[in-house]
């Protein structure tokens, strides 16, 4: 039987790539529900092609626009609105697989709903783990969900680990996440004051949304990935390392106790980890171009632990600092970063001031251990309010 699929964030880069992979395997997958924030016309096109049972829009005006256009095109997809609807399509009894690709903390609630409902959860929303932490992982365990990472780095790690998670702690020395270094890898740290949103969003290797592109440029994306790896794979913070690999061919590595290193290589194309998550434990075609070793340029690596890189990317260290701090600190960091990035994209603060917003928010908000979704959302709201105040001071 076909597996029924819900895609949370279908109009984004990961969502669109998921549909591209699905289109190659329509004998195996059926699109049950799609969701988007504001892109009515693109979601309409997706509904016309894949004919999902449900489509969710983030606001009532956008939902009404979509419903009217669906009606004009004689399409029978039912339109739902906002957060409760996302949780509904993520946990629906007829759904087998959920692709979670909503950017930011907004994706936490539907991810939790999918986990509690025991779905195969393909996690491209790293913030669900960064914010949710132990609360999210408890939901995965108690719900019996199958959690498969879709970030290229975490997918690579998962593919390089032993099959039995019970053996990871005994057999693995450390996990090495690779980072491209983004568009400013060779810039002088003092020149980052003048960076524009257009420059920050021009990633040299990957095609991504604006928020995640800025995160890659500041290396906060890698900081969030370190936190995500801590929860996904259960290793302590000191067993997590980052190296800069500008070519983005080796997506991440696992070093074992005997010093052997197992790595996953591939072209920088999100369809590869998406296809792996959809097909696991089998392998299905992705549509990505194969890696051509005959034309492959030299692969190089740079240590993050050099003074220039630490000055250029000061936010990366916040990952380890937050993991060693009080429970809930990672949620504070994520909220602050979302506010800081949004302010930069709106040209309200400078690129280098994103780090100042993150650091000052961490110093301002003292979290208590979150035990529920309500606790997490309250902490997120408190952190966002503090970050907004800091942004306001910087823009005076």
């Amino acid at each position: 039987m076909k597996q029924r699929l819900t895609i949370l964030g279908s109009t984004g880069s990961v969502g669109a790539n998921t549909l591209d992979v699905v289109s190659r395997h329509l004998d195996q997958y059926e699109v049950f529900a799609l969701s988007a924030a504001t892109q009515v016309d693109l979601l309409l096109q997706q509904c016309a092609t894949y004919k999902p049972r449900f489509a969710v829009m983030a606001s009532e005006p956008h939902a009404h626009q979509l419903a009217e256009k669906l009606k004009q095109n004689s399409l029978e997809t039912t339109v739902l609105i906002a957060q409760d609807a996302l949780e509904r399509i993520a946990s629906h009894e007829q759904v087998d697989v959920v692709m979670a690709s909503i950017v930011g903390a907004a994706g936490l609630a539907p991810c939790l709903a999918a986990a509690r409902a025991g779905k195969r959860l393909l996690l491209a929303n790293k913030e669900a783990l960064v914010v949710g932490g132990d609360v999210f992982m408890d939901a995965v365990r108690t719900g019996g969900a199958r959690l498969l990472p879709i970030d290229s780095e975490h997918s690579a790690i998962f593919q390089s680990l032993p099959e039995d998670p019970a053996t990871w702690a005994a057999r693995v020395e450390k996990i090495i996440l690779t980072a491209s270094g983004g568009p400013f890898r060779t810039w002088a740290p003092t020149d980052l004051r003048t960076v524009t949103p257009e420059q920050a969003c021009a990633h040299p290797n990957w095609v991504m949304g604006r928020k995640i592109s800025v995160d890659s440029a500041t290396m906060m994306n890698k900081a969030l990935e370190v936190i995500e790896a801590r929860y996904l794979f259960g290793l302590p913070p000191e067993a997590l390392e980052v190296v800069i690999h500008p070519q983005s061919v080796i997506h991440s590595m696992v070093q074992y106790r005997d010093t052997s290193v197992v790595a996953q290589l591939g072209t920088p194309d999100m369809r590869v980890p998406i296809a792996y998550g959809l097909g696991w434990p089998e392998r299905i075609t992705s549509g990505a171009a194969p890696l051509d070793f005959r034309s492959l340029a030299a692969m190089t690596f740079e240590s993050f632990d050099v003074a220039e890189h630490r000055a250029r990317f000061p936010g990366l260290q916040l990952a380890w600092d937050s993991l060693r701090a009080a429970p809930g600190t990672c949620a504070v960091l994520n909220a602050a970063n979302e506010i800081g990035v949004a302010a930069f994209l709106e040209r309200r603060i400078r690129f280098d001031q994103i780090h100042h917003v993150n650091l000052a928010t961490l110093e301002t908000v003292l979290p208590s251990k979150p035990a529920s979704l309500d606790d997490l959302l309250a902490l997120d709201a408190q952190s966002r309010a503090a970050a907004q105040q800091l942004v306001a001071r910087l823009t005076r």
Side-chain angles (χ1 to χ4, degrees), residues 30-292:
E30 174 184 336
V31 177
F32 180 82
L34 302 172
S35 83
T38 60
Q39 295 193 62
V40 173
D41 290 336
L42 181 51
L43 188 55
L44 174 67
Q45 293 175 22
Q46 293 175 346
C47 289
T49 301
Y50 298 98
K51 298 179 173 54
R53 179 172 172 183
F54 296 110
V56 177
M57 296 298 301
S59 71
E60 191 168 344
H62 290 105
H64 287 318
Q65 290 178 39
L66 178 62
E68 183 61 31
K69 292 187 176 187
L70 287 167
K71 183 178 179 181
Q72 292 171 0
N73 287 273
S74 301
L75 297 171
E76 297 181 356
T77 298
T78 299
V79 179
L80 305 174
I81 305 170
Q83 190 68 37
D84 290 345
L86 291 175
E87 295 176 44
R88 177 180 171 187
I89 63 172
S91 60
H92 198 285
E93 61 181 7
Q94 294 185 30
V95 169
D96 304 298
V97 184
V98 176
M99 170 59 77
S101 57
I102 295 175
V103 175
L108 175 60
C111 283
L112 277 169
R116 290 169 179 151
K119 305 302 182 185
R120 174 184 288 213
L121 180 54
L122 310 185
L123 191 66
N125 173 301
K126 63 177 60 66
E127 291 85 358
L129 265 175
V130 173
V131 177
D134 291 327
V135 174
F136 180 79
M137 292 307 297
D138 286 345
V140 170
R141 285 188 287 269
T142 58
R146 165 56 70 179
L147 183 62
L148 294 169
I150 299 301
D151 270 350
S152 62
E153 295 82 0
H154 300 91
S155 176
I157 294 164
F158 184 76
Q159 294 178 58
S160 301
L161 284 166
E163 288 188 10
D164 184 2
T167 69
W168 292 351
R171 298 173 66 183
V172 174
E173 183 70 23
K174 62 181 177 180
I175 285 172
I176 305 167
L177 292 100
T178 58
S180 71
F184 309 128
R185 180 178 61 85
T186 60
W187 283 40
T190 53
D191 291 341
L192 298 178
R193 292 172 55 92
T194 63
V195 166
T196 66
E198 291 75 21
Q199 291 172 314
C201 290
H203 195 281
N205 298 340
W206 298 92
V207 178
M208 304 179 291
R210 284 165 61 80
K211 194 269 182 183
I212 194 171
S213 294
V214 174
D215 282 346
S216 181
T218 62
M219 288 276 274
M220 270 306 301
N221 190 45
K222 204 56 52 179
L224 299 177
E225 288 174 6
V226 168
I227 296 169
E228 185 180 10
R230 166 68 182 91
Y231 287 108
L232 276 171
F233 307 117
L235 271 65
E238 56 269 21
L240 304 172
E241 183 179 323
V242 172
V243 298
I244 295 176
H245 170 49
Q247 295 80 23
S248 297
V249 172
I250 296 178
H251 297 302
S252 277
M253 299 170 273
V254 175
Q255 181 174 309
Y256 286 83
R257 299 289 186 192
D258 63 358
T259 72
S260 298
V261 176
V262 177
Q264 187 264 342
L265 285 69
T267 50
D269 189 320
M270 280 305 300
R271 291 177 295 179
V272 176
I274 290 168
Y276 181 78
L278 283 170
W280 184 90
E282 306 300 329
R283 299 270 183 171
I284 63 174
T285 56
S286 65
L291 197 60
D292 184 357

Side-chain angles (χ1 to χ4, degrees), residues 258-396:
D258 63 358
T259 72
S260 298
V261 176
V262 177
Q264 187 264 342
L265 285 69
T267 50
D269 189 320
M270 280 305 300
R271 291 177 295 179
V272 176
I274 290 168
Y276 181 78
L278 283 170
W280 184 90
E282 306 300 329
R283 299 270 183 171
I284 63 174
T285 56
S286 65
L291 197 60
D292 184 357
F293 286 94
R294 294 168 300 180
S295 61
L296 191 64
M299 290 189 290
T300 60
F301 303 89
E302 302 166 15
S303 172
F304 167 69
D305 290 319
V306 296
E308 190 172 12
H309 279 325
R310 285 188 173 273
R312 188 179 290 114
F313 306 118
L316 181 56
Q317 182 58 41
L318 296 178
W320 290 274
D321 295 343
S322 298
L323 284 169
R324 293 177 177 127
T329 301
C330 295
V332 177
L333 174 61
N334 180 76
N337 186 62
E338 288 193 25
I339 296 300
V341 170
F344 166 69
L345 288 171
E346 294 165 0
R347 306 179 194 274
R348 297 169 58 206
I349 64 173
R350 298 193 313 266
F351 178 81
D352 61 317
Q353 289 177 320
I354 297 172
H355 175 63
H356 295 304
V357 172
N358 293 342
L359 191 59
T361 305
L362 287 169
E363 293 171 349
T364 301
V365 179
L366 302 176
S368 56
K369 183 177 181 179
S372 67
L373 175 60
D374 287 343
D375 290 346
L376 292 167
L377 295 178
L379 179 58
D380 180 73
Q382 179 188 3
S383 304
R384 287 171 187 274
Q388 290 281 21
Q389 291 178 357
L390 291 163
V391 167
R393 291 176 199 163
L394 290 171
T395 55
R396 286 174 184 168

